[in-house]
Amino acid sequence: MAPIPGPLPAPPADPGQGAWGSQPIYSRADDVAFAKVAAAASVAADAAGWTHASAHLNHYLDNTGKLLTINADAVLRDVSAADTKATSIAETEIRRITTEASAAQNYDNPVQFQSQWSGFYITRALSDDWFFAMGGIHLSATGVVTVRKPAGGAEPSIIAEYKLHVHDRYNWDGDKSTEIAGITVSDKRMGALHTAGLAREYDIAGSSEVRRFDGTVPSNGPVNLPGTPGGRDGDRSDPTR
């Protein structure tokens, strides 16, 4: 098989609250006080079992702006609707390549693919933890498909290896308020920590382990692609569990 390509460049980010550190120094006193509230919200989130929400908020408050690499399989395992959406993206690409290869009789040659990014919103109904950790995310799939030469009249048979990718921009860009484990915070106040230079927006990205499919692609009905492996690894002190 050819190597699985990486995802396309990250999708455009929304503007957030403004440039980091753009607030005048004289207007930051209330933000210094609110930073303590945000830190308390992180502790409360962890105590509630929302370990990813706590870890992501802590990374924001660490004020580095560095990329946070996450375990994409953990997101897709915990939020099954996101796994379904990401898998459907992979299936669309796999079907496209299978159809094109069959029409061109391009058999036994690996063909790579990179899907476009597609938006997905993690609601509280799907997961409190991942809602507070990320909320709106983008999903994509990349992989390699080899179509075998079929026997007369048979459905195309393929080997596919692929990865699913998750991307998000951690910022507070709305005008709503929410309660994190009993502590009320607003997008405006949380975003103001960034413009005050007390916290920093950052990118979140992660890729799943390689998924493999060896079978037929039916003309009618879904391709039986694998889902995210079940089970939970790690313990309460491991935010990637």
Side-chain angles (χ1 to χ4, degrees), residues 137-218:
I137 62 175
H138 283 85
L139 301 167
S140 72
T142 62
V144 184
V145 180
T146 301
V147 181
R148 302 185 183 98
K149 185 174 182 178
E155 299 277 17
S157 175
I158 69 165
I159 298 176
E161 291 185 347
Y162 60 97
K163 291 183 177 182
L164 307 177
H165 309 280
V166 177
H167 186 275
D168 183 34
R169 178 70 176 173
Y170 190 97
N171 58 25
W172 299 80
D173 60 344
D175 55 6
K176 60 187 181 298
S177 295
T178 191
E179 187 176 287
I180 301 177
I183 298 175
T184 300
V185 298
S186 69
D187 285 12
K188 184 176 181 180
R189 294 304 306 270
M190 292 292 283
L193 296 177
H194 170 81
T195 58
L198 301 174
R200 197 155 193 166
E201 298 171 359
Y202 61 92
D203 287 332
I204 300 171
S207 300
S208 73
E209 295 296 323
V210 175
R211 300 190 184 189
R212 191 174 191 274
F213 174 77
D214 186 341
T216 60
V217 177

Side-chain angles (χ1 to χ4, degrees), residues 4-234:
I4 296 173
L8 292 172
D14 51 54
Q17 295 282 7
W20 178 82
S22 57
Q23 274 193 57
I25 292 177
Y26 61 76
S27 69
R28 300 180 185 182
D30 60 334
D31 300 306
V32 172
F34 184 74
K36 296 178 181 179
V37 176
S42 174
V43 173
D46 186 67
W50 303 342
T51 53
H52 302 95
S54 176
H56 291 198
L57 178 53
N58 280 337
H59 194 74
Y60 180 61
L61 297 174
D62 284 345
N63 203 20
T64 66
K66 292 181 179 179
L67 171 73
L68 179 64
T69 300
I70 60 169
N71 181 342
D73 281 317
V75 180
L76 300 174
R77 178 196 63 215
D78 294 346
V79 186
S80 60
D83 186 61
T84 298
K85 173 68 177 287
T87 300
S88 73
I89 294 170
E91 179 176 346
T92 296
E93 294 296 320
I94 289 169
R95 279 192 177 279
R96 175 183 62 80
I97 291 171
T98 302
T99 299
E100 292 174 354
S102 297
Q105 297 188 12
N106 180 25
Y107 301 123
D108 302 317
N109 294 314
V111 179
Q112 297 172 312
F113 70 84
Q114 293 173 295
S115 82
Q116 297 294 321
W117 290 100
S118 182
F120 181 87
Y121 195 80
I122 303 173
T123 65
R124 291 197 67 172
L126 295 174
S127 169
D128 280 325
D129 188 13
W130 289 111
F131 166 76
F132 288 118
M134 295 193 294
I137 62 175
H138 283 85
L139 301 167
S140 72
T142 62
V144 184
V145 180
T146 301
V147 181
R148 302 185 183 98
K149 185 174 182 178
E155 299 277 17
S157 175
I158 69 165
I159 298 176
E161 291 185 347
Y162 60 97
K163 291 183 177 182
L164 307 177
H165 309 280
V166 177
H167 186 275
D168 183 34
R169 178 70 176 173
Y170 190 97
N171 58 25
W172 299 80
D173 60 344
D175 55 6
K176 60 187 181 298
S177 295
T178 191
E179 187 176 287
I180 301 177
I183 298 175
T184 300
V185 298
S186 69
D187 285 12
K188 184 176 181 180
R189 294 304 306 270
M190 292 292 283
L193 296 177
H194 170 81
T195 58
L198 301 174
R200 197 155 193 166
E201 298 171 359
Y202 61 92
D203 287 332
I204 300 171
S207 300
S208 73
E209 295 296 323
V210 175
R211 300 190 184 189
R212 191 174 191 274
F213 174 77
D214 186 341
T216 60
V217 177
S219 55
N220 294 306
V223 183
N224 190 27
L225 297 179
T228 301
R232 294 181 70 85
D233 299 322

